[in-house]
Amino acid sequence: MSKRQLAMVMDLNKCLGCHTCTVACKQLWTQDEGMEYMWWNTVNTMPGRGTPRDWEQMGGGFGPDGQARPGRLPKRAEFGEAWKFDHEGSYYGGQGDGSHLKIKGDSPEWGPNWEEDEGGGQYPNSFHFYMPRMCNHCTHAACVEACPRGAVEKREEDGIVTVNEDRCRGYRFCQSACPYKKMYFNHQKKVAQKCVFCFPRIEQGVAPACARQCPGRVRFVGYRDDEAAPIYKLVDKWKVALPLHPEYGTEPNVFYVPPVLPVSYGPDGDIDESKPRIPDEYLVSLFGPKVLDALVTIKAEREKKRTTGESELMDLLIAYEWKNMFGGFDRSPETVSVIHWRKKS
Amino acid sequence: MKAGFVPGVPVQALLDAQAEVWRQAPSEAVALIGAPSALQPTAAVRAEFPDGRIGAVKQVAIAVLHNGSELAFRLTWQDPSADTGADGQDDVGFPDAAAILFPSRPHAPLMTMGAPGLPVTAWYWRADENGRGRQVTAEGLGTSQTVDRDQVFAQGVYGNGRWAVVIARALRAQSAGPVAQFETGAAANFSVAVWEGSHAERAGIKAISLGPLSGWHELVVDGRT
């Protein structure tokens, strides 16, 4: 058990699916050899099969009895290879308007954002929302517990889960054990690699790049036990931020404020106030039964804000001042001496 | 088992598993069993690999030679698939591997890969690192660490549905780690392990030999000079 635990809350009502978080992470962390296919942060349209494809059916985590649940390794094709485009042929191939940008090599069958904006439901009650995912830096981390070499470590001071690449021998038990499939395998270096919660930034008071760069002010960052900061207020006080798939038993430290979409249309075309656009059972399947209470609270506080102009919860979620979202991790990245951390040689 | 003395044969020649010197060396068939699931260090590994799913390779033929300065083991076993970790095989597969284990100190236990203060030494070959072995030490389950990658020679060749792998090291090794040392004319203990990559065998998921000496086999390094 770590002394303290860093956490993140993502407000799904504000995510606009722009992937700035994903690109910020990619630029900072996964540019090296063997990392081409890695997206430590992904944003998927829900409902969907996600990335890696059908990851929710791959097992891992813990059963209701607390026992390790067998999982399987995701294949590269299930993540999707990092395909390249034929820019040369398109721009300089002499075909003019007759040439369109094509993929080099075989056509991919999946990718990190394959089902963008497909969503679910039937018109006129179709629905979708965006869900960013990253390592949950779990309290009861299946990857840490699975590794027979102790190569996956949970930092004592802040609960960030990292891979010790000097200990890692590429056995990949962590990858099958992680029920969120957010452990990646570097096929060139033959070691596991994963989101590091931007710990070199954290250590200098700077929020992770995915949070700091988010134009929608979706992400809150801070220590779980900081009662003055938004994480504690959203997770523990207001209970509107919930972990994804709590039944996996790993106690994630990334929490989601569930999406509240408009109400649905009835068969006569009139608005049906009794039915939410996103079926409750779908949100329960993602966030567990507590999501229903969270939705009630959010709707009530929205109404309160609308009618009285006063709501601590809505003011928190609106995030008028971005600095208030980061639990003190609000220094500018420009002040950080080492932004792209490299292992000391 | 006896390590036959082949004076004047350089280690580079011994690394050729099909060399004449090996054809003339007596070879002994040794049965392998799966490492027990209960001894795997983590619950996730035990859940994925119950007993019965560990130890795909059932038998290995062992021959041992030394040239006065280097000790070489040749292991051969049947394997329908060469899992070399080459392109196209590195998706969710694992490479074949083999190792010789020695006690670095007297009474170091085999089944637990040594114990605190009682290290064991492994000479490790893996098909995706062919030609370049690892010297590994351990003092208990899950504690193995590579101490060097330049003292152990390990060269495998695959053909006719069989691996033939030679793993060799100097009898006396200079090392900062607690590695096993050998003397001509003296007895030593050893065991072997084989990992079948196509069965996802890696780490403690392996087939091992169990000899009569608390699990170890005896090796006599021929003392003629």
Side-chain angles (χ1 to χ4, degrees):
Chain A
M1 192 82 173
S2 302
K3 283 186 190 133
R4 294 193 90 183
Q5 178 65 56
L6 279 167
M8 195 179 283
V9 168
M10 303 188 198
D11 183 354
L12 298 183
N13 292 291
K14 295 166 81 179
C15 180
L16 52 149
C18 70
H19 300 269
T20 304
C21 48
T22 301
V23 174
C25 176
K26 186 78 185 161
Q27 290 285 359
L28 200 50
W29 292 111
T30 56
Q31 301 261 345
D32 289 348
E33 191 190 21
M35 299 176 120
E36 296 85 353
Y37 87 104
M38 288 185 203
W39 300 89
W40 290 351
N41 186 95
T42 44
V43 183
N44 283 123
T45 302
M46 303 294 283
R49 297 167 75 184
T51 176
R53 186 178 59 213
D54 298 326
W55 61 273
E56 288 156 300
Q57 274 81 57
M58 290 183 188
F62 304 94
D65 54 358
Q67 297 294 306
R69 198 167 61 122
R72 76 160 174 89
L73 289 178
K75 295 178 180 146
R76 286 171 76 156
E78 290 168 331
F79 287 103
E81 296 284 353
W83 60 81
K84 292 195 166 76
F85 290 101
D86 177 25
H87 291 99
E88 305 77 22
S90 184
Y91 296 136
Y92 309 113
Q95 300 293 310
D97 291 349
S99 171
H100 299 284
L101 198 55
K102 291 188 190 70
I103 288 170
K104 280 183 176 173
D106 293 340
S107 270
E109 294 178 351
W110 200 254
N113 184 31
W114 196 257
E115 302 168 293
E116 178 153 67
D117 290 353
E118 288 185 17
Q122 288 293 319
Y123 178 84
N125 289 315
S126 47
F127 68 93
H128 79 268
F129 59 92
Y130 302 110
M131 189 164 71
R133 292 204 308 120
M134 54 187 262
C135 168
N136 289 306
H137 297 275
C138 302
T139 298
H140 185 202
C143 55
V144 173
E145 296 197 13
C147 179
R149 298 180 55 74
V152 191
E153 298 164 350
K154 191 162 174 67
R155 287 165 37 125
E156 180 79 11
E157 63 271 35
D158 53 22
I160 294 175
V161 174
T162 59
V163 176
N164 179 342
E165 291 184 18
D166 295 329
R167 281 294 298 159
C168 178
R169 288 285 279 128
Y171 295 149
R172 303 176 72 178
F173 290 111
C174 55
Q175 217 186 358
S176 20
C178 173
Y180 299 96
K181 293 297 171 274
K182 274 294 174 186
M183 186 67 83
Y184 293 80
F185 188 65
N186 185 317
H187 293 270
Q188 267 69 49
K189 290 181 74 181
K190 298 182 181 178
V191 291
Q193 295 177 323
K194 66 180 288 297
C195 160
V196 294
F197 210 85
C198 286
F199 74 81
R201 291 166 62 111
I202 285 287
E203 286 170 357
Q204 300 189 53
V206 180
C210 57
R212 174 80 190 214
Q213 297 292 319
C214 176
R217 298 190 185 177
V218 168
R219 298 184 186 224
F220 300 82
V221 175
Y223 287 109
R224 270 302 301 279
D225 61 0
D226 183 353
E227 295 187 15
I231 300 275
Y232 180 86
K233 288 179 179 166
L234 294 169
V235 175
D236 296 292
K237 182 180 175 188
W238 286 96
K239 297 183 177 16
V240 294
L242 302 158
L244 178 61
H245 289 304
E247 74 278 13
Y248 291 168
T250 62
E251 298 176 43
N253 288 300
V254 173
F255 300 86
Y256 296 91
V257 178
V260 184
L261 262 53
V263 291
S264 58
Y265 293 100
D268 53 3
D270 285 343
I271 287 169
D272 180 354
E273 300 268 3
S274 70
K275 278 199 194 135
R277 182 74 66 89
I278 307 177
D280 283 346
E281 52 270 31
Y282 179 61
L283 291 177
V284 169
S285 76
L286 293 177
F287 303 111
K290 288 181 183 166
V291 75
L292 301 177
D293 295 336
L295 291 169
V296 168
T297 303
I298 294 165
K299 284 175 189 163
E301 289 299 309
R302 276 189 181 181
E303 189 56 26
K304 200 170 134 197
K305 179 76 178 174
R306 194 163 20 235
T307 52
T308 70
E310 305 281 330
S311 163
E312 183 200 41
L313 176 59
M314 282 304 122
D315 288 353
L316 267 174
L317 291 174
I318 290 166
Y320 291 105
E321 172 57 54
W322 69 267
K323 282 196 173 192
N324 295 341
M325 300 179 72
F326 295 153
F329 294 96
D330 56 13
R331 276 181 65 194
S332 166
E334 287 176 352
T335 66
V336 174
S337 52
V338 182
I339 294 176
H340 193 155
W341 178 82
R342 296 272 178 184
K343 194 167 68 174
K344 294 186 187 86
S345 55
Chain B
M1 205 169 290
K2 191 170 159 184
F5 183 39
V6 285
V9 178
V11 69
Q12 286 308 324
L14 290 172
L15 286 175
D16 177 2
Q18 290 162 332
E20 186 60 27
V21 68
W22 286 113
R23 288 184 208 277
Q24 293 173 10
S27 172
E28 191 171 313
V30 171
L32 303 179
I33 60 157
S37 179
L39 281 183
Q40 301 304 320
T42 71
V45 178
R46 293 191 292 272
E48 190 178 338
F49 287 93
D51 284 327
R53 207 183 287 174
I54 308 175
V57 176
K58 306 296 182 197
Q59 185 173 287
V60 62
I62 306 174
V64 194
L65 295 172
H66 79 95
N67 59 10
S69 54
E70 279 101 9
L71 178 63
F73 290 73
R74 189 194 63 170
L75 308 181
T76 55
W77 68 93
Q78 289 188 346
D79 182 348
S81 62
D83 304 293
T84 60
D87 243 10
Q89 290 195 321
D90 62 350
D91 190 346
V92 291
F94 292 89
D96 295 325
I100 322 289
L101 192 72
F102 309 95
S104 307
R105 305 277 181 270
H107 311 298
L110 166 71
M111 292 304 285
T112 56
M113 291 290 287
L118 293 172
V120 291
T121 302
W123 300 354
Y124 180 79
W125 165 85
R126 203 164 83 173
D128 63 336
E129 300 173 348
N130 199 14
R132 193 177 176 202
R134 289 172 183 258
Q135 184 155 233
V136 173
T137 60
E139 296 189 34
L141 295 171
T143 68
S144 68
Q145 58 178 353
T146 301
V147 292
D148 63 69
R149 297 187 68 180
D150 54 11
Q151 298 211 29
V152 170
F153 306 93
Q155 183 73 50
V157 57
Y158 183 83
N160 300 322
R162 294 178 74 80
W163 274 113
V165 177
V166 176
I167 305 178
R169 198 206 73 182
L171 288 160
R172 305 290 304 174
Q174 299 289 322
S175 176
V179 302
Q181 306 286 1
F182 302 91
E183 305 278 355
T184 53
N189 287 344
F190 77 98
S191 179
V192 300
V194 177
W195 289 261
E196 176 48 66
S198 67
H199 287 230
E201 292 190 343
R202 73 276 198 195
I205 306 301
K206 60 195 172 188
I208 58 171
S209 70
L210 274 189
L213 308 171
S214 300
W216 300 104
H217 298 274
E218 188 179 60
L219 177 74
V220 176
V221 183
D222 187 345
R224 288 176 298 160
T225 52

